[in-house]
mmCIF file of all heavy atoms in Angstrom:
data_model
loop_
_atom_site.group_PDB
_atom_site.id
_atom_site.type_symbol
_atom_site.label_atom_id
_atom_site.label_comp_id
_atom_site.label_asym_id
_atom_site.label_seq_id
_atom_site.Cartn_x
_atom_site.Cartn_y
_atom_site.Cartn_z
ATOM 1 N N PHE V 217 -7.779 -37.591 -105.184
ATOM 2 C CA PHE V 217 -6.494 -37.495 -105.864
ATOM 3 C C PHE V 217 -5.800 -36.188 -105.500
ATOM 4 O O PHE V 217 -6.438 -35.169 -105.263
ATOM 5 C CB PHE V 217 -6.683 -37.527 -107.384
ATOM 6 C CG PHE V 217 -7.385 -38.763 -107.875
ATOM 7 C CD1 PHE V 217 -8.765 -38.781 -107.994
ATOM 8 C CD2 PHE V 217 -6.676 -39.906 -108.200
ATOM 9 C CE1 PHE V 217 -9.433 -39.914 -108.439
ATOM 10 C CE2 PHE V 217 -7.331 -41.042 -108.637
ATOM 11 C CZ PHE V 217 -8.704 -41.051 -108.757
ATOM 12 N N ARG V 218 -4.465 -36.257 -105.500
ATOM 13 C CA ARG V 218 -3.673 -35.036 -105.369
ATOM 14 C C ARG V 218 -2.668 -35.004 -106.503
ATOM 15 O O ARG V 218 -1.885 -35.952 -106.678
ATOM 16 C CB ARG V 218 -2.941 -34.976 -104.039
ATOM 17 C CG ARG V 218 -2.232 -33.633 -103.835
ATOM 18 C CD ARG V 218 -1.533 -33.552 -102.503
ATOM 19 N NE ARG V 218 -0.161 -34.013 -102.610
ATOM 20 C CZ ARG V 218 0.859 -33.492 -101.920
ATOM 21 N NH1 ARG V 218 0.634 -32.518 -101.068
ATOM 22 N NH2 ARG V 218 2.067 -33.963 -102.060
ATOM 23 N N LEU V 219 -2.708 -33.941 -107.312
ATOM 24 C CA LEU V 219 -1.739 -33.776 -108.386
ATOM 25 C C LEU V 219 -0.458 -33.235 -107.765
ATOM 26 O O LEU V 219 -0.268 -32.041 -107.603
ATOM 27 C CB LEU V 219 -2.290 -32.825 -109.452
ATOM 28 C CG LEU V 219 -3.599 -33.278 -110.106
ATOM 29 C CD1 LEU V 219 -4.042 -32.280 -111.165
ATOM 30 C CD2 LEU V 219 -3.456 -34.665 -110.718
ATOM 31 N N GLY V 220 0.406 -34.148 -107.374
ATOM 32 C CA GLY V 220 1.591 -33.802 -106.616
ATOM 33 C C GLY V 220 2.866 -34.207 -107.326
ATOM 34 O O GLY V 220 2.957 -34.173 -108.545
ATOM 35 N N ARG V 221 3.845 -34.614 -106.525
ATOM 36 C CA ARG V 221 5.166 -35.009 -107.040
ATOM 37 C C ARG V 221 5.730 -33.934 -107.963
ATOM 38 O O ARG V 221 6.398 -34.213 -108.948
ATOM 39 C CB ARG V 221 5.059 -36.351 -107.772
ATOM 40 C CG ARG V 221 6.388 -37.058 -107.996
ATOM 41 C CD ARG V 221 6.970 -37.521 -106.655
ATOM 42 N NE ARG V 221 8.214 -38.248 -106.845
ATOM 43 C CZ ARG V 221 9.430 -37.675 -106.846
ATOM 44 N NH1 ARG V 221 9.543 -36.375 -106.681
ATOM 45 N NH2 ARG V 221 10.508 -38.400 -106.989
ATOM 46 N N SER V 222 5.398 -32.691 -107.648
ATOM 47 C CA SER V 222 5.770 -31.570 -108.503
ATOM 48 C C SER V 222 6.319 -30.445 -107.647
ATOM 49 O O SER V 222 5.735 -30.110 -106.622
ATOM 50 C CB SER V 222 4.541 -31.086 -109.282
ATOM 51 O OG SER V 222 4.818 -29.889 -109.965
ATOM 52 N N ALA V 223 7.427 -29.869 -108.072
ATOM 53 C CA ALA V 223 7.987 -28.730 -107.343
ATOM 54 C C ALA V 223 7.178 -27.464 -107.574
ATOM 55 O O ALA V 223 7.192 -26.554 -106.752
ATOM 56 C CB ALA V 223 9.440 -28.513 -107.760
ATOM 57 N N ASN V 224 6.440 -27.421 -108.708
ATOM 58 C CA ASN V 224 5.700 -26.203 -109.048
ATOM 59 C C ASN V 224 4.626 -26.550 -110.070
ATOM 60 O O ASN V 224 4.902 -26.634 -111.267
ATOM 61 C CB ASN V 224 6.662 -25.151 -109.613
ATOM 62 C CG ASN V 224 5.967 -23.859 -109.987
ATOM 63 O OD1 ASN V 224 4.807 -23.622 -109.606
ATOM 64 N ND2 ASN V 224 6.654 -23.011 -110.731
ATOM 65 N N ILE V 225 3.393 -26.728 -109.621
ATOM 66 C CA ILE V 225 2.300 -27.104 -110.520
ATOM 67 C C ILE V 225 2.062 -26.027 -111.587
ATOM 68 O O ILE V 225 1.616 -26.328 -112.696
ATOM 69 C CB ILE V 225 1.001 -27.376 -109.717
ATOM 70 C CG1 ILE V 225 -0.108 -27.935 -110.620
ATOM 71 C CG2 ILE V 225 0.539 -26.115 -109.004
ATOM 72 C CD1 ILE V 225 0.165 -29.289 -111.185
ATOM 73 N N ILE V 226 2.364 -24.772 -111.276
ATOM 74 C CA ILE V 226 2.137 -23.686 -112.226
ATOM 75 C C ILE V 226 3.074 -23.814 -113.434
ATOM 76 O O ILE V 226 2.777 -23.317 -114.526
ATOM 77 C CB ILE V 226 2.317 -22.307 -111.558
ATOM 78 C CG1 ILE V 226 1.509 -22.230 -110.254
ATOM 79 C CG2 ILE V 226 1.916 -21.176 -112.484
ATOM 80 C CD1 ILE V 226 0.013 -22.370 -110.442
ATOM 81 N N ALA V 227 4.208 -24.495 -113.260
ATOM 82 C CA ALA V 227 5.161 -24.684 -114.361
ATOM 83 C C ALA V 227 4.863 -25.949 -115.164
ATOM 84 O O ALA V 227 5.585 -26.243 -116.129
ATOM 85 C CB ALA V 227 6.588 -24.748 -113.820
ATOM 86 N N TYR V 228 3.808 -26.694 -114.794
ATOM 87 C CA TYR V 228 3.496 -27.920 -115.534
ATOM 88 C C TYR V 228 3.320 -27.611 -117.023
ATOM 89 O O TYR V 228 2.611 -26.670 -117.401
ATOM 90 C CB TYR V 228 2.214 -28.574 -115.009
ATOM 91 C CG TYR V 228 1.795 -29.744 -115.877
ATOM 92 C CD1 TYR V 228 2.452 -30.965 -115.778
ATOM 93 C CD2 TYR V 228 0.790 -29.605 -116.828
ATOM 94 C CE1 TYR V 228 2.104 -32.030 -116.587
ATOM 95 C CE2 TYR V 228 0.432 -30.665 -117.650
ATOM 96 C CZ TYR V 228 1.093 -31.881 -117.522
ATOM 97 O OH TYR V 228 0.755 -32.924 -118.351
ATOM 98 N N GLY V 229 3.957 -28.429 -117.852
ATOM 99 C CA GLY V 229 3.821 -28.289 -119.297
ATOM 100 C C GLY V 229 4.670 -27.201 -119.909
ATOM 101 O O GLY V 229 4.654 -27.022 -121.137
ATOM 102 N N SER V 230 5.458 -26.481 -119.103
ATOM 103 C CA SER V 230 6.316 -25.441 -119.690
ATOM 104 C C SER V 230 7.376 -26.057 -120.592
ATOM 105 O O SER V 230 7.817 -25.434 -121.565
ATOM 106 C CB SER V 230 6.973 -24.601 -118.587
ATOM 107 O OG SER V 230 7.756 -25.407 -117.731
ATOM 108 N N ASP V 231 7.778 -27.302 -120.311
ATOM 109 C CA ASP V 231 8.739 -27.983 -121.178
ATOM 110 C C ASP V 231 8.105 -28.409 -122.503
ATOM 111 O O ASP V 231 8.818 -28.746 -123.448
ATOM 112 C CB ASP V 231 9.356 -29.181 -120.464
ATOM 113 C CG ASP V 231 8.328 -30.084 -119.807
ATOM 114 O OD1 ASP V 231 7.304 -29.578 -119.332
ATOM 115 O OD2 ASP V 231 8.551 -31.309 -119.760
ATOM 116 N N PHE V 232 6.780 -28.417 -122.565
ATOM 117 C CA PHE V 232 6.108 -28.647 -123.852
ATOM 118 C C PHE V 232 6.107 -27.371 -124.692
ATOM 119 O O PHE V 232 5.745 -27.390 -125.860
ATOM 120 C CB PHE V 232 4.637 -29.054 -123.655
ATOM 121 C CG PHE V 232 4.392 -30.208 -122.733
ATOM 122 C CD1 PHE V 232 3.161 -30.345 -122.108
ATOM 123 C CD2 PHE V 232 5.370 -31.160 -122.480
ATOM 124 C CE1 PHE V 232 2.907 -31.405 -121.254
ATOM 125 C CE2 PHE V 232 5.131 -32.221 -121.618
ATOM 126 C CZ PHE V 232 3.895 -32.345 -121.002
ATOM 127 N N ASN V 233 6.461 -26.242 -124.062
ATOM 128 C CA ASN V 233 6.250 -24.923 -124.642
ATOM 129 C C ASN V 233 7.546 -24.097 -124.630
ATOM 130 O O ASN V 233 7.540 -22.913 -124.310
ATOM 131 C CB ASN V 233 5.148 -24.194 -123.860
ATOM 132 C CG ASN V 233 4.591 -22.998 -124.583
ATOM 133 O OD1 ASN V 233 4.507 -22.974 -125.801
ATOM 134 N ND2 ASN V 233 4.202 -21.973 -123.816
ATOM 135 N N SER V 234 8.663 -24.781 -124.932
ATOM 136 C CA SER V 234 9.984 -24.131 -125.004
ATOM 137 C C SER V 234 10.354 -23.415 -123.721
ATOM 138 O O SER V 234 10.968 -22.348 -123.730
ATOM 139 C CB SER V 234 10.030 -23.140 -126.179
ATOM 140 O OG SER V 234 9.731 -23.783 -127.393
ATOM 141 N N GLY V 235 9.947 -23.994 -122.571
ATOM 142 C CA GLY V 235 10.309 -23.429 -121.279
ATOM 143 C C GLY V 235 9.440 -22.276 -120.832
ATOM 144 O O GLY V 235 9.731 -21.642 -119.813
ATOM 145 N N THR V 236 8.361 -22.016 -121.571
ATOM 146 C CA THR V 236 7.467 -20.901 -121.241
ATOM 147 C C THR V 236 6.209 -21.413 -120.550
ATOM 148 O O THR V 236 5.694 -22.482 -120.895
ATOM 149 C CB THR V 236 7.063 -20.137 -122.522
ATOM 150 O OG1 THR V 236 8.251 -19.708 -123.181
ATOM 151 C CG2 THR V 236 6.211 -18.930 -122.187
ATOM 152 N N ILE V 237 5.730 -20.650 -119.575
ATOM 153 C CA ILE V 237 4.527 -21.028 -118.825
ATOM 154 C C ILE V 237 3.402 -21.413 -119.790
ATOM 155 O O ILE V 237 3.218 -20.797 -120.837
ATOM 156 C CB ILE V 237 4.102 -19.873 -117.893
ATOM 157 C CG1 ILE V 237 2.965 -20.313 -116.968
ATOM 158 C CG2 ILE V 237 3.780 -18.614 -118.663
ATOM 159 C CD1 ILE V 237 2.665 -19.306 -115.868
ATOM 160 N N ASN V 238 2.631 -22.453 -119.434
ATOM 161 C CA ASN V 238 1.726 -23.098 -120.387
ATOM 162 C C ASN V 238 0.328 -23.295 -119.784
ATOM 163 O O ASN V 238 -0.023 -24.389 -119.352
ATOM 164 C CB ASN V 238 2.326 -24.446 -120.795
ATOM 165 C CG ASN V 238 1.664 -25.059 -122.000
ATOM 166 O OD1 ASN V 238 0.590 -24.639 -122.419
ATOM 167 N ND2 ASN V 238 2.306 -26.073 -122.567
#
Side-chain angles (χ1 to χ4, degrees):
F217 302 91
R218 186 179 91 145
L219 301 181
R221 197 68 178 91
S222 171
N224 180 14
I225 187 66
I226 310 298
Y228 173 77
S230 59
D231 49 326
F232 307 156
N233 196 33
S234 303
T236 304
I237 188 170
N238 194 346

